[in-house]
Amino acid sequence: MFDKILIANRGEIACRVIRTCRKLGIRTVAVYSEADADAQHVRQADEAYPIGGPRPADSYLRGDAIIEVARNCGAQAIHPGYGFLSENADFADAVEAAGIAFIGPKAASMRKMGSKAGAKELMQAAGVPVVPGYTGEDQDPAHLHRQADAIGYPLMIKAAHGGGGKGMRIVRDSDEFLANLESCQREARNAFGRDRVLLERYVERPRHIEIQIFGDAAGQVIHLNERECSAQRRYQKVLEESPSVFLTPELRAQMGAAAVLAGRAIDYVNAGTVEFIVGQDADGKPGGFYFMEINTRLQVEHPVTELVTGQDLVEWQLRVAAGEPLPLAQEAIVQRGHAIEVRLYAEDPEAGFLPGSGKLERLRLPPADAHVRLDSGVIEGDTVTIFYDPMIAKMIVFDSDRPRALARLRGALAACEIVGPKSNIEFLERLARHPTVVGGTIDTGYLDRHLDEFMPAANPDEAGDRDLLIGATVAELLTQEQRTREDAGASNDPTSPWAIADGWRLGHGGRRSLAFLRRDERLELQAHGSGGEYRIEIPALDAAAYTVQGARLADGELSLRIDGRARRLSALGDGQRVVMHDGERRLRLDAVPMYRHESSAAAGSGNSVNAPMPGRVVVVKAAPGDTVEAGQEVMVIEAMKMELSLKAPRAGKIAEIRAAAGDFVEADAVLATLEIV
């Protein structure tokens, strides 16, 4: 076994590898960019060395710099994690040439699988079912267009190299093909350095099933069963689980055998994942399965497999790379229980899942135990930067069966609070309660077709939302009263007039006005009373007054009666905000001054194109003097590995373009202006 390894990655996966290395007594070496000088993987490793600037191309994609660090520090092996250089065959070759072990498959296997086109052709020759399409090397746009027309629509354009949902487009009509091809190639070029694409027939309403495989240097290849990843948005997985409730035992066995066949066909060594799409009939029953690709690395969702098999796949990787045989034979792989994974991201689902950045002012996650696992690369106080994936943590839950695992997931999400950049927690909570997830019927396109079902209601008019709003108001009132008593030094004197003071009058409760922001909507409330007995009015909802009795707030729990109905709610707050949860839904309110001075600063906002977040300008599609229509694309910026299209707010003539391709821009920066009319 190795004594010291270098981890050529960052964030959550680097911390994950460090954890197993510590268990095995292996020293770890981290590398980091300028943006990651204070990151958790740097702090947790035994040694850490800088390798360049904040952009991946200047640091984590610099194979030469990484290998030089490994040589200088005496690392015997390099673990690439996932992403960055993990599936780069040239890097794997260079590592081996330097006399350092690469903790992953052979470069030859990676080359066969690194191209989706080549992988598809190889699998077809090996007898693995594939979807009809075009994988040729002729990438002339006109030729690709003819091939697309011959395959038929709908079809998918896919980057031949890379993964993670980048460089993929669905095209439903011939007229849409060339524009989608250009966008797909540009995204692939920026993400993976290569813009070759392949075309394949798009299977409607498919299920996404992947099989974890493992091989060793002696030629043994096994599988560790499946993970279902059908809950996706724009090809990005948002929930993964094992086992799949969709598969029959017969189909599971067939797919496992096909995955092993695929691994043996390319002499596969170390961890890999064979991805399939599975069709379904009108009744939702499984149809045929088709090879999609092989990911020649450890997958982001590998903890799902670890929890149901009881195996440490990173330890398997290390042992196989050190020349040891696979720890278990196929017949010794035992699966128990059910595991589900979701990813907490710094993103705003209500703004099109716009990635976020900024300091994690508060990061509260549930305690890890036998049922909840948390893999993260950040802690409270860290910053989510614009340069990399905005993942905050992976949450993986486990229990004896799927209903219990879903209940664990909902409970774990309810215990989360993130303050700083916006997050997708509420979206994940709605996902975990949605009938298609609970019933195990969601297909890969469902989220994109029905995204509104996972978004919050426009108005808090449901009884549950109303109770949360009343609860938040009561929690704020009780907190104010406690603060007033403490300031007066009478917190332990129930006979003091301050014991029921509301800050305005002594000895009795007067009227208080409060104002909150709820998802940028201002809500004003009126409250009468004190000491847990209130009458609350919410004019924005209705003209009714709600009676609250017996309200008590202790240890983050609020108990109260609303119009005689007893409720118990979770309440978290810090004086500036309050987060309420009833076990199913969440409400966050930010306290704001009751009285405000209106500003005209927003005037003229329809005359400019602004950056929605920090990023890099990829392409500028307009010039001063150009006439544009409302909604016409003016510029494209890249942030957190995503392309964002910036469009004209109205029809008019471009007055100024204030950024060029390659420029880094800050959030809210004015990038283009329209002539005032």
Side-chain angles (χ1 to χ4, degrees), residues 184-254:
C184 183
Q185 289 176 323
R186 181 173 62 245
E187 189 171 89
R189 189 163 49 247
N190 290 336
F192 314 120
R194 289 173 280 189
D195 62 2
R196 182 181 174 185
V197 301
L198 59 85
L199 311 176
E200 63 182 32
R201 175 69 64 83
Y202 181 65
V203 179
E204 297 280 9
R205 297 174 57 245
R207 304 289 284 260
H208 182 131
I209 306 291
E210 60 187 31
I211 308 291
Q212 176 73 58
I213 64 169
F214 238 100
D216 63 20
Q220 182 182 199
V221 180
I222 68 170
H223 72 84
L224 290 91
N225 297 316
E226 85 280 2
R227 297 183 291 259
E228 174 152 7
C229 312
S230 297
Q232 301 181 12
R233 191 192 69 83
R234 295 184 180 177
Y235 317 116
Q236 294 277 7
K237 302 167 186 174
V238 296
L239 184 148
E240 302 99 353
E241 62 182 308
S242 184
S244 167
V245 297
F246 178 65
L247 298 187
T248 63
E250 295 77 18
L251 186 55
R252 177 178 290 110
Q254 292 172 18

Side-chain angles (χ1 to χ4, degrees), residues 557-560 565-570 580-583:
E557 294 285 343
L558 175 67
S559 59
L560 74 168
R565 293 178 295 108
R567 296 299 311 268
R568 183 177 62 84
L569 305 171
S570 169
M580 305 299 299
H581 210 293
D582 64 1

Side-chain angles (χ1 to χ4, degrees), residues 1-5 24 26 76 315 318-320 322 324:
M1 179 52 74
F2 308 113
D3 296 318
K4 179 191 287 189
I5 73 163
L24 298 176
I26 300 172
Q76 300 160 305
E315 180 177 344
L318 294 167
R319 293 193 179 284
V320 167
E324 298 181 21

Side-chain angles (χ1 to χ4, degrees), residues 468-469 472-473 516-519 523 525 576-580 587-591:
L468 287 175
L469 184 53
T473 304
F516 298 103
L517 281 182
R518 179 185 184 272
R519 296 199 301 270
L523 293 174
L525 306 95
Q576 295 180 313
R577 63 191 60 84
V578 59
V579 178
M580 305 299 299
L587 175 68
R588 170 177 164 167
L589 297 175
D590 294 293

Side-chain angles (χ1 to χ4, degrees), residues 474-493 498-503 512 530-532 534 552-554:
V474 171
E476 180 67 12
L477 291 170
L478 291 172
T479 301
Q480 287 181 5
E481 292 169 14
Q482 176 66 20
R483 193 179 301 121
T484 299
R485 290 195 297 270
E486 291 173 352
D487 290 345
S491 59
N492 296 317
D493 182 5
W498 289 102
I500 57 169
D502 61 15
R512 277 177 281 179
S530 64
Y534 307 102
R552 297 291 182 269
L553 178 63

Side-chain angles (χ1 to χ4, degrees), residues 130-143:
V130 300
V131 179
Y134 173 75
T135 59
E137 295 191 13
D138 188 342
Q139 296 287 295
D140 177 72
H143 178 72

Side-chain angles (χ1 to χ4, degrees), residues 151-181:
I151 294 167
Y153 300 90
L155 63 77
M156 181 179 287
I157 307 173
K158 300 172 67 173
H161 305 274
K166 302 294 186 297
M168 300 174 72
R169 300 289 187 277
I170 294 175
V171 184
R172 297 189 176 277
D173 185 88
S174 180
D175 293 339
E176 303 172 358
F177 180 80
L178 290 176
N180 279 279
L181 174 65

Side-chain angles (χ1 to χ4, degrees), residues 17 59 95 100 145 151-152 156 191 252 294 348 352 362 373-374 409 412 457-458 487 489 494 502 506 560 612 656:
V17 174
S59 51
V95 170
I100 301 169
H145 198 175
I151 294 167
M156 181 179 287
R252 177 178 290 110
I294 296 183
D348 185 359
R362 183 186 295 269
R373 168 174 164 177
L374 296 161
L409 176 61
D487 290 345
D502 61 15
L506 298 179
L560 74 168
E656 289 182 279

